[in-house]
Amino acid sequence: MALKLYGLPMSSYTTRVMTCLHEKAVDFEFVPVNLFTCEHKEPPFLAKNPFGLIPVLEDGDLTLFESRAINSYVAHKYKDSGTDLLRLSDIKEAAAVGVWMEVESQQFNPAITPIIYEFFVAPISGKTPDQAIIDASAEKLGKVLDIYEARLSSTKYLAGDSYTLADLHHLPYTFYLMKTPWASLIESRPHVKAWWEDISSRPAFKKVAEGMKFGEE
Amino acid sequence: MAVKLYGIAMSTCTTRVMTCLHEKGVDFEIVPINLSAGEHKQPSFISKNPFGQIPALEDGDLTLFESRAITKYLATKHKDKGTDLLRLDNLKEAALVNVWLEVEAQQFNPPISALVYQRMFSPLFGGTPDEKVIEANAEKLGKVLDVYEERLSKSKYLAGDFYSLADLHHLSYTYYLMKNPEANLINSRPHVKAWWEDISSRPAFRKAAEGMTA
């Protein structure tokens, strides 16, 4: 029985999981969730994710949520298929992947999400983007990217010289950032820019990026 | 050579790692970092963690940072020692541990760390608690804990009927929350309260909590 992924093709978290599934060459069935009718807040969906958020992955009788946990599961279960995303056969490499996955989660993500929210999501709810929030977040993100610039001047990818889940997790939000004036945060840092061009040109992500048309009608 | 943990005894993220080390029965040496002297922003520490935050861990020639990555490393390296924190021999159980580890990191941590910062750490640096921030985050945390209440009415711990790293990661910040009026967020939810009393009474945490005197 194929995996079932519940979500939307333009959602950052859903695309994070879809990219991982493609890298591992794992078949899955995509089940759209209608956020506009609040399907994600209704009991049938809440039974899958009590926090009412997409995506959700069903693998037989196992139901998982939180995109980063879903990806860890997929990368573990299918560790011998497709790209080696977790470097599990080397404890030191795997530890470095773990560190940079947490960096994405704890340093990068909180700095980038307010920019994406204000620029893309707020207007949909009829709100004006809050420039003060965007400016503060851009400053924070700049400081994080300074550290990435230094790191990527000594390694090809974040955890070392191999592409891993730590790099993959950055794809969706950075893709959207590149459609805003704050793409300059990436473009102005040569090693970060080269890293971005490399990871965003991988076939697994290009496939997913076709559906990422947030705000473009 | 013993593992070296750079941090301070009252830091939530340092004690998260200390608790894990105790659960696994792994010896370690704590190397205090003088935050008020800005030692964490000096080159000697930045070379261990470029983000200039405690804790950092040295295990031989391996240097790690981000407490949640450090605990996962320790729980993986020492999987056959002490408490089984990641359930790595069972793919489904391990997957559920990961889900609730992410719930702590993405849903629980943002509101509780904002609350604890306002109540405990802002005054230490000469600031006044911001009541608006406290109120907004208490409401957010309450909604998260409603989900926990429902979950813990069906399983003894977050990932299942076994204690795991997912429960452990909640200890340090909740310990400080319980010293403040917002303790009612825990105490008013019977299953969450029972879970808290269980996990906070574990010897590994009690040992780590001795230094939590903020």
Side-chain angles (χ1 to χ4, degrees), chain A residues 3-213:
Chain A
L3 300 182
K4 271 190 187 167
L5 178 65
Y6 295 79
L8 284 177
M10 83 283 280
S11 133
S12 319
Y13 299 126
T14 308
T15 51
R16 188 180 274 144
V17 174
M18 275 169 38
T19 307
C20 179
L21 288 163
H22 288 312
E23 285 284 353
K24 301 308 271 171
V26 174
D27 282 331
F28 64 98
E29 179 194 336
F30 189 80
V31 183
V33 176
N34 194 335
L35 300 190
F36 295 104
T37 60
C38 288
E39 186 185 343
H40 57 312
K41 303 294 178 190
E42 297 295 317
F45 188 80
L46 289 174
K48 299 180 200 301
N49 181 356
F51 292 94
L53 300 168
I54 54 173
V56 164
L57 187 91
E58 277 175 358
D59 185 3
D61 60 357
L62 184 64
T63 301
L64 305 176
F65 52 93
E66 289 295 335
S67 63
R68 295 171 184 85
I70 294 171
N71 282 358
S72 281
Y73 169 73
V74 169
H76 262 98
K77 183 176 179 182
Y78 301 99
K79 64 185 182 48
D80 299 321
S81 170
T83 314
D84 181 1
L85 291 175
L86 286 174
R87 316 296 292 174
L88 294 171
S89 52
D90 183 316
I91 194 163
K92 288 184 180 178
E93 287 188 30
V97 177
V99 164
W100 288 91
M101 279 171 60
E102 285 303 319
V103 168
E104 181 277 323
S105 166
Q106 299 299 315
Q107 313 292 344
F108 180 87
N109 189 58
I112 197 172
T113 46
I115 300 174
I116 303 305
Y117 179 84
E118 292 300 322
F119 193 85
F120 289 99
V121 181
I124 293 178
S125 335
K127 299 181 197 160
T128 334
D130 186 326
Q131 198 57 45
I133 291 179
I134 293 178
D135 290 342
S137 296
E139 195 183 327
K140 256 178 91 173
L141 185 57
K143 289 182 176 150
V144 171
L145 290 174
D146 285 341
I147 295 171
Y148 280 36
E149 181 65 16
R151 173 64 178 175
L152 293 163
S153 67
S154 60
T155 56
K156 192 172 181 203
Y157 298 99
L158 288 171
D161 288 323
S162 303
Y163 178 76
T164 69
L165 209 55
D167 306 288
L168 188 157
H169 279 179
H170 291 78
L171 286 162
Y173 274 123
T174 312
F175 179 80
Y176 283 126
L177 186 81
M178 298 309 283
K179 295 174 179 288
T180 74
W182 296 277
S184 56
L185 291 166
I186 301 289
E187 308 254 309
S188 61
R189 294 169 170 85
H191 294 94
V192 173
K193 183 182 176 183
W195 166 76
W196 169 249
E197 283 166 359
D198 179 318
I199 66 172
S200 58
S201 63
R202 292 178 69 90
F205 181 63
K206 287 177 80 121
K207 219 164 156 177
V208 166
E210 284 165 18
M212 292 175 74
K213 298 191 191 323

Side-chain angles (χ1 to χ4, degrees), chain B residues 3 11 30 43 46-47 71-72 79 86 93 96 126-127 133 144-146 152-153 155-156 171 184 201-202:
Chain B
V3 158
S11 136
I30 190 152
I46 294 278
S47 61
T71 54
K72 273 198 187 164
K79 68 190 239 324
L86 287 174
E93 287 183 3
L96 291 170
V133 171
V144 172
L145 291 175
D146 285 341
L152 293 164
S153 69
S155 70
K156 188 169 184 208
L171 286 162
N184 69 351
S201 63
R202 292 179 69 91

Side-chain angles (χ1 to χ4, degrees), chain B residues 6-214:
Chain B
Y6 295 81
I8 57 173
M10 73 162 85
S11 136
T12 44
C13 298
T14 306
T15 47
R16 181 178 281 141
V17 176
M18 274 168 50
T19 308
C20 180
L21 286 159
H22 289 313
E23 285 284 353
K24 300 309 263 171
V26 171
D27 283 333
F28 66 98
E29 177 194 335
I30 190 152
V31 182
I33 296 291
N34 192 334
L35 299 183
S36 40
E39 190 181 349
H40 54 311
K41 304 293 178 190
Q42 299 302 317
S44 57
F45 186 77
I46 294 278
S47 61
K48 300 180 203 303
N49 181 358
F51 292 89
Q53 292 169 341
I54 54 169
L57 186 102
E58 275 173 1
D59 187 3
D61 61 357
L62 184 64
T63 302
L64 305 174
F65 54 93
E66 288 296 335
S67 64
R68 295 173 184 85
I70 295 171
T71 54
K72 273 198 187 164
Y73 163 76
L74 292 167
T76 305
K77 181 178 179 181
H78 301 286
K79 68 190 239 324
D80 298 321
K81 212 176 164 191
T83 314
D84 182 1
L85 292 173
L86 287 174
R87 318 294 289 186
L88 294 171
D89 294 336
N90 182 314
L91 188 68
K92 286 185 181 178
E93 287 183 3
L96 291 170
V97 173
N98 267 325
V99 164
W100 289 92
L101 280 169
E102 284 302 317
V103 168
E104 183 278 324
Q106 302 299 325
Q107 313 296 339
F108 180 87
N109 186 60
I112 197 172
S113 56
L115 269 170
V116 167
Y117 181 83
Q118 291 297 323
R119 284 279 185 221
M120 318 242 0
F121 297 113
S122 173
L124 283 178
F125 306 128
T128 342
D130 185 328
E131 291 298 330
K132 271 196 182 156
V133 171
I134 289 173
E135 210 182 305
N137 283 288
E139 196 184 327
K140 260 178 89 173
L141 185 58
K143 289 184 175 146
V144 172
L145 291 175
D146 285 341
V147 177
Y148 280 42
E149 181 63 17
E150 175 68 26
R151 172 66 180 171
L152 293 164
S153 69
K154 298 191 203 123
S155 70
K156 188 169 184 208
Y157 298 98
L158 288 172
D161 288 324
F162 47 85
Y163 180 75
S164 76
L165 203 63
D167 307 287
L168 188 157
H169 279 185
H170 290 77
L171 286 162
S172 329
Y173 273 111
T174 312
Y175 180 80
Y176 281 134
L177 187 85
M178 298 308 283
K179 293 175 178 287
N180 287 286
E182 287 75 32
N184 69 351
L185 291 166
I186 302 290
N187 289 329
S188 61
R189 293 170 170 86
H191 294 95
V192 173
K193 183 180 178 185
W195 166 78
W196 169 249
E197 283 168 359
D198 180 318
I199 66 172
S200 58
S201 63
R202 292 179 69 91
F205 179 64
R206 289 174 75 116
K207 217 164 160 181
E210 281 166 16
M212 293 179 75
T213 52

